[in-house]
Amino acid sequence: MKKFRLLFNAMLIAFVSLLIGVGVANPVAHAEKTYQIGTDVTFPPFEFANDQNKYVGIDIDLMKAIAKNQGFKVNIKPIGFNAAVQATQSGQIDGVIAGMNITPERAQTFDFSKPYYKSGVVMAVKQGGSIKNLSQLRGKKVAVKTGTSGAAYANSLKKKYGFKVITFDDSNNMYQDVLTGNSAACFEDEPVMKYSIKQGTKLAIVTKPAESGSYGFAVDKGKNKVLLAKFNKGLANLQKNGEYKKIVDHYLESKGTNANSSDHSFIGILKQNKGFLWSGFKQTLWLSIVSIIFATLFGVVVGLLGVLPYKFFQGLSSTLIYIFRGLPLLVLALFIYTGIPTLTGTKIPAFIAGVVTLMFNEGAYIAAFVRGGINSVDSGQMEAARSLGLPFSKSMFKVILPQGIKLIIPSFINQFIITLKDTSILSIIGILELTQTGKIIIARNLEGFKVWTIIALIYLIVITLLTWLSNWGERRTRL
């Protein structure tokens, strides 16, 4: 029992430390002179990770060159297109550069820079296929990427040509859906599609560019006007001195990409990305450990409230479990990372948002089995303790909890395994855990099957070890 109390006190101290950390982090964030710029590093050639797993591409090189030209610094945050857009709106970051088309709808929410690249949407099909034009898509499915101009273009044509639109979060999955034959075609920005074909994707462009539009750097409406002015001035300077053309030509005109010359075998991919994968694995493990500590604290407190002899606390416990167990993890993560900053104006680092998300979601499940474990102890145990003159609290800590904890331990280890797997969902808010790491690697080498196989094996090895630990703990508690 003493160990349990020490553990409880340690978790309480850690929780308070986290809150203090959040509190002191904000003044630092506000004092930062470096601009936080969100991007999507699965969108080559505009932004992606190179063979050294450094973020490069037209957008990133352009942003850094403008920052150097105008005398400010940027911190590129690879959080994905959707997360970058929402993070800009909520004030989590200062702007977004991610091959973002300037449209009238978006201009109502964002302030855009002057256009820095003109593009158009093309349709691509599997090489050697029979689909050559839009009229052949009737009754078939086409793949698009969420939030892109290609998706908007496809949706505007689906009734006219009678096809169904399937949406994906990244380009590689969209391409794979066409290559496997699930979709007849996909719609993508012309330079992105050309670059992917150059890297070895076996697709072919069959239409001329349509829906011509321009990419722009975006900030939240009415905010960061100084940054926007610096971007426009820097862009003009780069276009004038020729540096802009050098950057664009480096990615679109030269044959300097070495993706095809890299070793694309399982061993080759593993060797080339072992440091990056290890970094993602450490982030996954660290996120799981920190989250399960706070989830345990939250779950134990809420679970104990549920067994107190007071209706109010029992109702409070049931309500908290119902709310946080009922909310989808993805929705909760986005609400905490983008919703709360929008309401309060306070930035929440992605890692902290991830920990809080898992704390509430996983903690609700822990609370449920803590409450169930305690309630499963024979009620006569409590009555006997009280009849001996022990108060409720001492009866609970000395008699009921030691028996209930034995029932809880196997479920607790299972919950840790679930937490480890659930960290993959937090890639939606840009945490560079194992799944997000895989997405970035695939965006460069387009080897989705091999990369996901490697990542799946990593998860399986860790989960197998934890399952053995769970079984061992279950056997020990039966003694």
Side-chain angles (χ1 to χ4, degrees), residues 76-309:
I76 302 295
K77 299 178 77 69
I79 55 179
F81 182 76
N82 289 332
V85 168
Q86 294 178 60
T88 302
Q89 290 178 295
S90 63
Q92 291 275 61
I93 57 177
D94 298 301
V96 54
I97 184 164
M100 189 173 179
N101 269 295
I102 303 172
T103 65
E105 293 79 11
R106 287 173 175 166
Q108 294 178 9
T109 310
F110 295 97
D111 285 330
F112 282 98
S113 68
K114 292 180 179 177
Y116 67 83
Y117 189 87
K118 189 173 182 179
S119 180
V121 178
V122 294
M123 185 176 88
V125 301
K126 188 175 180 179
Q127 288 180 4
S130 58
I131 303 293
K132 300 295 181 186
N133 54 58
L134 291 166
S135 60
Q136 292 178 284
L137 295 176
R138 184 165 299 279
K140 302 183 184 302
K141 293 185 288 187
V142 302
V144 299
K145 183 179 172 183
T146 308
T148 61
S149 54
Y153 180 59
N155 281 306
S156 70
L157 298 176
K158 63 182 181 182
K159 286 186 178 179
K160 180 179 179 181
Y161 292 99
F163 58 79
K164 184 179 179 181
V165 176
I166 308 297
T167 305
F168 293 88
D169 280 337
D170 57 73
S171 297
N172 179 68
N173 284 331
M174 179 175 71
Y175 302 155
Q176 290 301 320
D177 205 55
V178 178
L179 292 171
T180 56
N182 290 326
S183 293
C186 63
F187 290 89
E188 179 68 285
D189 287 8
E190 184 188 24
V192 178
M193 195 71 254
K194 281 186 173 179
Y195 184 85
S196 296
I197 292 172
K198 189 188 294 183
Q199 301 307 303
T201 303
K202 298 189 182 305
L203 296 176
I205 297 173
V206 293
T207 61
K208 293 181 179 179
E211 294 287 300
S212 295
S214 298
Y215 293 166
F217 168 67
V219 299
D220 196 21
K221 193 76 175 178
K223 300 176 183 176
N224 283 316
K225 291 185 177 178
V226 173
L227 174 59
L228 201 60
K230 288 179 178 178
F231 185 95
N232 286 331
K233 188 175 180 181
L235 177 63
N237 290 342
L238 296 185
Q239 289 172 332
K240 187 175 181 180
N241 65 23
E243 191 171 353
Y244 169 85
K245 188 175 185 307
K246 286 181 181 177
I247 291 173
V248 174
D249 288 349
H250 174 71
Y251 291 100
L252 296 184
E253 302 299 332
S254 72
K255 299 177 181 178
T257 57
N258 56 3
N260 287 328
S261 61
S262 301
D263 184 356
H264 281 208
S265 66
F266 278 103
I267 300 298
I269 292 172
L270 197 57
K271 281 183 177 178
Q272 187 181 4
N273 299 287
K274 60 183 179 183
F276 203 34
L277 288 168
W278 174 242
S279 176
F281 173 72
K282 286 192 297 182
Q283 183 76 327
T284 293
L285 202 58
W286 178 235
L287 184 60
S288 301
I289 292 171
V290 175
S291 298
I292 200 67
I293 290 173
F294 290 112
T296 302
L297 175 63
F298 178 77
V300 169
V301 171
V302 175
L304 289 176
L305 289 176
V307 297
L308 291 177

Side-chain angles (χ1 to χ4, degrees), residues 298 302 316-329 332 335-336 356-365 367:
F298 178 77
V302 175
L316 178 63
S317 174
S318 298
T319 303
L320 290 173
I321 292 172
Y322 177 79
I323 291 174
F324 291 115
R325 200 167 58 173
L327 283 175
L329 192 58
L332 185 60
F335 175 77
I336 291 172
V356 174
T357 300
L358 291 174
M359 179 186 76
F360 285 136
N361 185 268
E362 311 297 339
Y365 286 94

Side-chain angles (χ1 to χ4, degrees), residues 39 52 63 70 174 248 290 302 403 405 441 460:
T39 190
Q52 289 76 45
M63 193 73 226
Q70 291 298 301
M174 179 175 71
V248 174
V290 175
V302 175
Q403 299 178 69
I405 287 173
I441 295 171
L460 279 177

Side-chain angles (χ1 to χ4, degrees), residues 328-346:
L329 192 58
L330 186 72
V331 174
L332 185 60
L334 290 172
F335 175 77
I336 291 172
Y337 184 61
T338 62
I340 291 178
T342 301
L343 292 173
T344 64
T346 302

